[in-house]
Amino acid sequence: MSTFRIEEADRPHVIRLAVLWVILSVIGVVAVVLFLHIPPGDQSVQGTDQSNTMLLMTALATPIFIGVVIMIVYSAIYFRRTGTELADGPPMLGNAPVQIVWIAGSAIIVLFLAFVGITTLATNSSAQTVPGQSSGSASGAGSELQVQVIAQQWYFTYRYADYGGVETTHLYLPVNRPVELHVTSLDIIHSFWAYQLGVKADANPDVDNVAYVTPKALGGFTVRCNELCGIWHGAMFNYGQVVSPAAFQSWASGVQAKEQADGILGALPAYALTYDPTVIPQLGKNIVQIDGITGGAGYYYGPGDPVTP
Ligand SMILES: [Cu+2]
């Protein structure tokens, strides 16, 4: 059995590297924790969780990254081969303490991250997919606001089940209330991505894809399509707002009254968790005649937001 011995000549190098590594690692980790902004940020409970997880991973990786860089730079300076010799240096075999430190260090980091991941999964609400018509879970589930996200080439619209199934072109959400997003598509595969809220879900035709988000800060956010879905995929985005519960209530009631008066509610298909793509072109024609929310023949328009091929 070999024992871990540092050659007398190597000792200054080892000490220097260790001291340098500890100092730079402390500076690096403190800098990461204090100054690094990691998206998506703090606009929702889920966004904060994601940012914190990424921050933890980055902070853990920082000493490893710094150690590798120090070793490379230090070797290039102090262990540089100046002659023409091309033979390898002597191999280092069977050094038990080095192997134990290496395996134990890796195991501790991986097991710690596994523990963090499992506890996070166990305490967070996660996504679930319900193909076709599902039983739904909004009724009786308490205070969740049920909002449907409908994707189509190349636009997002939103329906509010609790307000007569009104359809809007912008996503309004009340602050501090859990939202149950039901994401579906009218044509092909899209992906709903409310970037600052840290929520993303595939939008598939004939699928009710459920995702949860709890906004916790007022302000605007961006909704983007995150699945290449045709030539105007890049233009498939709009803006949403997180507003106070009172502002949301009056906004939603106002939209409901307006769509009732305009006849939109009557023209819209009954609120459902999915819609049959084969009837959508006719549906679009009906609706565009009233409010210009959607258009037929694959081209869709929102008020003030024309998306033309
Ligand atoms: Cu899309």
Side-chain angles (χ1 to χ4, degrees):
M1 237 191 77
S2 67
T3 52
F4 185 54
R5 280 186 311 110
I6 300 172
E7 299 292 335
E8 203 59 45
D10 290 339
R11 205 158 279 174
H13 293 302
V14 172
I15 292 170
R16 222 181 287 166
L17 279 166
V19 170
L20 203 58
W21 178 69
V22 170
I23 291 172
L24 289 180
S25 292
V26 169
I27 293 171
V29 170
V30 169
V32 161
V33 171
L34 289 185
F35 302 118
L36 196 64
H37 168 74
I38 295 182
D42 282 336
Q43 207 178 358
S44 74
V45 173
Q46 289 75 6
T48 303
D49 283 347
Q50 291 165 28
S51 292
N52 288 343
T53 302
M54 292 304 294
L55 190 64
L56 175 68
M57 301 280 278
T58 309
L60 282 176
T62 298
I64 299 167
F65 174 74
I66 287 174
V68 171
V69 171
I70 285 177
M71 200 62 218
I72 291 172
V73 172
Y74 193 91
S75 301
I77 295 171
Y78 290 98
F79 306 140
R80 178 180 293 275
R81 164 94 51 209
T82 51
T84 52
E85 196 179 351
L86 291 174
D88 285 345
M92 192 174 89
L93 298 172
N95 193 317
V98 167
Q99 290 169 349
I100 289 170
V101 168
W102 179 262
I103 292 169
S106 306
I108 288 169
I109 293 172
V110 169
L111 289 174
F112 172 70
L113 287 176
F115 173 77
V116 171
I118 290 166
T119 51
T120 304
L121 276 178
T123 52
N124 270 18
S125 57
S126 54
Q128 64 184 58
T129 300
V130 186
Q133 299 290 316
S134 84
S135 58
S137 55
S139 56
S143 65
E144 279 124 354
L145 177 72
Q146 187 175 335
V147 180
Q148 181 171 54
V149 177
I150 303 175
Q152 59 189 297
Q153 286 175 316
W154 289 275
Y155 215 79
F156 286 108
T157 54
Y158 310 94
R159 296 193 75 175
Y160 294 78
D162 302 332
Y163 297 89
V166 294
E167 184 162 7
T168 70
T169 53
H170 290 87
L171 180 55
Y172 272 66
L173 297 174
V175 72
N176 293 329
R177 182 173 170 191
V179 177
E180 189 176 274
L181 294 161
H182 290 256
V183 183
T184 189
S185 169
L186 298 186
D187 39 40
I188 58 169
I189 299 173
H190 302 268
S191 177
F192 165 80
W193 183 23
Y195 172 80
Q196 290 87 344
L197 298 183
V199 61
K200 184 193 284 181
D202 279 351
N204 299 330
D206 207 29
V207 172
D208 173 33
N209 198 10
V210 183
Y212 298 91
V213 66
T214 307
K216 64 175 198 175
L218 300 175
F221 57 88
T222 313
V223 173
R224 286 201 160 276
C225 181
N226 198 51
E227 183 77 49
L228 186 57
C229 59
I231 192 166
W232 289 102
H233 163 72
M236 189 168 166
F237 64 92
N238 57 29
Y239 300 101
Q241 282 284 331
V242 176
V243 297
S244 72
F248 175 79
Q249 187 65 41
S250 68
W251 171 82
S253 307
V255 171
Q256 189 174 3
K258 180 181 181 302
E259 296 200 358
Q260 185 79 51
D262 290 351
I264 295 173
L265 281 185
L268 284 169
Y271 181 88
L273 294 175
T274 63
Y275 301 93
D276 183 351
T278 59
V279 304
I280 289 309
Q282 187 53 44
L283 194 74
K285 278 180 201 153
N286 290 344
I287 297 168
V288 77
Q289 284 169 0
I290 298 167
D291 200 43
I293 286 180
T294 62
Y299 306 139
Y300 297 86
Y301 307 83
D305 267 326
V307 179
T308 49

